[in-house]
Amino acid sequence: MPDTSLIVSTIVAGGRAGLKLADVITALTRKVADREVDGLDKYQVVSFGRTVNGARFPDRWWPRLAKAIETGAFDYMSAQAIVDVMIEHDRP
């Protein structure tokens, strides 16, 4: 899993960037739930002899969020614009 420390610290710090970042994560998750974009990363875990299937936020999106923070995108772009750019990178 990618390093998410910058993302977590931005959310914890709050302010405009933290709130906008939370909005972006929520919007991306909704788009997956509404099947507008390709799904979450699937995984399996064996627990107490049983296989459990799960899904998580795609690993490919964490570095993109970190880059948006590092480049200051949250200061000059709307949450929707950031979501659009991230999804555009998923298209072939």
Side-chain angles (χ1 to χ4, degrees):
M1 180 162 183
D3 180 14
T4 57
S5 58
L6 176 60
I7 295 160
V8 172
S9 64
T10 301
I11 291 173
V12 169
R16 257 184 36 205
L19 291 173
K20 198 180 287 188
L21 175 55
D23 288 344
V24 167
I25 292 170
T26 301
L28 288 167
T29 304
R30 282 188 181 142
K31 285 190 175 290
V32 169
D34 293 342
R35 300 178 190 257
E36 292 179 39
V37 296
D38 200 11
L40 302 172
D41 287 347
K42 308 286 189 273
Y43 67 91
Q44 287 187 333
V45 179
V46 177
S47 177
F48 298 104
R50 296 181 58 150
T51 301
V52 177
N53 295 314
R56 67 174 182 247
F57 198 77
D59 285 345
R60 68 187 180 276
W61 286 347
W62 295 118
R64 294 178 196 170
L65 286 173
K67 184 174 182 180
I69 295 166
E70 291 166 350
T71 61
F74 288 92
D75 294 330
Y76 63 89
M77 293 176 71
S78 70
Q80 186 58 54
I82 293 169
V83 168
D84 292 343
V85 168
M86 289 183 63
I87 290 173
E88 185 63 33
H89 288 300
D90 278 351
R91 295 193 177 114

